[in-house]
Amino acid sequence: GLDTPTELTRHAQALRAQGYDFAMRYYSHNAAKNLSLGEARALSAAGLLVGAVWETAGTHAGFFTRAQGAADGAAAYQMAHSAIGQPAGSAIYFAVDYDATEADIAGPVCEYFEGVNAAFAAAAGGQAAYTVGVSGSGLCCDTLVDKRLAALAWLSQSTGFAGSKAFAQGARYNLVQYLPTTVTLSDGAELQIDSDATNPDQAHGLFRLVTE
């Protein structure tokens, strides 16, 4: 699989022909990098699974609060449900995009994910909700899954981050990200991507829209 901020609608068939099984795309406040309904349909029709990650400014501890998590959770849920029609039970991952310390994770990061979970529960209104995932370091993934603040973990490519090597070796991840690369597709496009893989022994929370 791959993740990219680049819109993939016109490349969907070429990606599938090149052997890709899934694409991770974004929800955020930046429309230019967000997954669109047409794109999700095109990827699904081509036979790819789609994954969603919310990523905005989560690059430092000061960003993470319970209130920010509640706001981001509500916005991500709304995009998934209303804009995309993402199936219930699939996942939205939330990015912790830096090498968070143990204190950062135990404090503001956990509080942020408490807000995300509260927002998901409120938006679902007692119905089947989306699954909360975390994208980050091994220590971050390990802690949030253990505390049941996230059900799924997408391990960052940054192997030097705290706990990442051990988390990878233990194969506790649901998704794992590898280093950036450039791929040339059969349609002539060159895409800047990160390569990714699912853990064959774990759920991943990816989805496919029903297409005609």
Side-chain angles (χ1 to χ4, degrees):
L2 63 100
D3 66 88
T4 180
T6 302
E7 202 248 341
L8 297 173
T9 303
R10 64 190 179 93
H11 306 303
Q13 294 290 344
L15 286 168
R16 189 70 188 102
Q18 197 126 332
Y20 286 96
D21 297 315
F22 69 92
M24 302 296 297
R25 294 284 287 113
Y26 290 92
Y27 296 146
S28 72
H29 297 303
N30 177 5
K33 76 172 187 178
N34 285 354
L35 175 70
S36 70
L37 176 57
E39 182 183 6
R41 285 175 172 167
L43 291 167
S44 297
L48 285 92
L49 292 167
V50 184
V53 55
W54 175 272
E55 183 180 66
T56 52
T59 57
H60 56 94
F63 171 79
F64 293 96
T65 65
R66 184 183 174 91
Q68 187 67 57
D72 288 353
Y77 197 106
Q78 176 70 13
M79 288 183 190
H81 183 265
S82 299
I84 304 299
Q86 182 175 328
S90 60
I92 305 173
Y93 290 82
F94 288 80
V96 183
D97 198 18
Y98 77 108
D99 191 9
T101 67
E102 188 172 352
D104 290 350
I105 297 166
V109 173
C110 278
E111 291 167 6
Y112 176 91
F113 277 83
E114 289 170 358
V116 169
N117 278 277
F120 274 30
Q127 302 300 310
Y130 297 122
T131 299
V132 175
V134 57
S135 173
S137 70
L139 179 61
C140 187
C141 290
D142 193 39
T143 302
L144 288 164
V145 171
D146 280 352
K147 290 182 175 292
R148 298 186 178 181
L149 292 171
L152 303 174
W154 179 13
L155 181 61
S156 164
Q157 63 184 279
S158 302
T159 57
F161 280 6
S164 288
K165 288 181 180 177
F167 197 74
Q169 289 168 357
R172 293 194 62 197
Y173 57 82
N174 303 87
L175 297 171
V176 60
Q177 183 185 60
Y178 299 115
L179 294 175
T181 188
T182 301
V183 295
T184 302
L185 302 179
S186 59
D187 62 5
E190 285 195 349
L191 293 180
Q192 305 293 320
I193 67 163
D194 297 319
S195 297
D196 297 277
T198 58
N199 184 334
D201 298 322
Q202 303 284 352
H204 46 58
L206 308 181
F207 64 93
R208 186 177 289 134
L209 297 184
V210 176
T211 56
E212 295 297 333

